[in-house]
Amino acid sequence: MTQATPAPDPLPEPEEPLDEGLIAGRPVEDRSFEMVETAVGVALGIAAGIAAGTFLAGAPGTVVGGIVGGLVGGAIGFGVGEALEQAEGDVARTTDATVPHPRPQH
């Protein structure tokens, strides 16, 4: 009598990285992109915060506006960057996104 063996699942789980040796489960390139996204957001947030703070409250508003704007801008930059990466698909989970990986059917 032949015993059936279950076929291995060829598709990785969405949270499972496709490569080994990643930084916190993500490719090093992805981590560097996150730093750039956050830095751009911080820079734009600081500029907007300084302008708004100066306009609304003068010199004290400049400092507060710059700090708050930098924090908010960094968070927005990081969030928008993550959303774009997830929309791109496998690029957020592998260093070799040139090879198409099948997506699980839901």
Side-chain angles (χ1 to χ4, degrees):
M1 176 175 229
T2 316
Q3 186 174 5
T5 57
D9 185 8
L11 301 174
E13 293 296 320
E15 295 82 25
E16 184 177 308
L18 298 173
D19 294 338
E20 297 296 324
L22 306 176
I23 298 174
R26 303 283 285 278
V28 67
E29 292 89 352
D30 184 53
R31 295 294 178 202
S32 62
F33 291 149
E34 289 170 358
M35 294 301 294
V36 171
E37 294 155 3
T38 303
V40 168
V42 166
L44 293 175
I46 288 173
I50 287 173
T54 303
F55 177 75
L56 294 173
T62 302
V63 175
V64 173
I67 292 170
V68 172
L71 293 173
V72 171
I76 291 172
F78 180 79
V80 168
E82 282 298 302
L84 290 172
E85 288 173 18
Q86 293 303 317
E88 291 296 319
D90 287 333
V91 72
R93 297 188 299 126
T94 181
T95 56
D96 185 12
T98 60
V99 178
H101 296 281
R103 288 290 198 191
Q105 299 298 319
H106 296 276

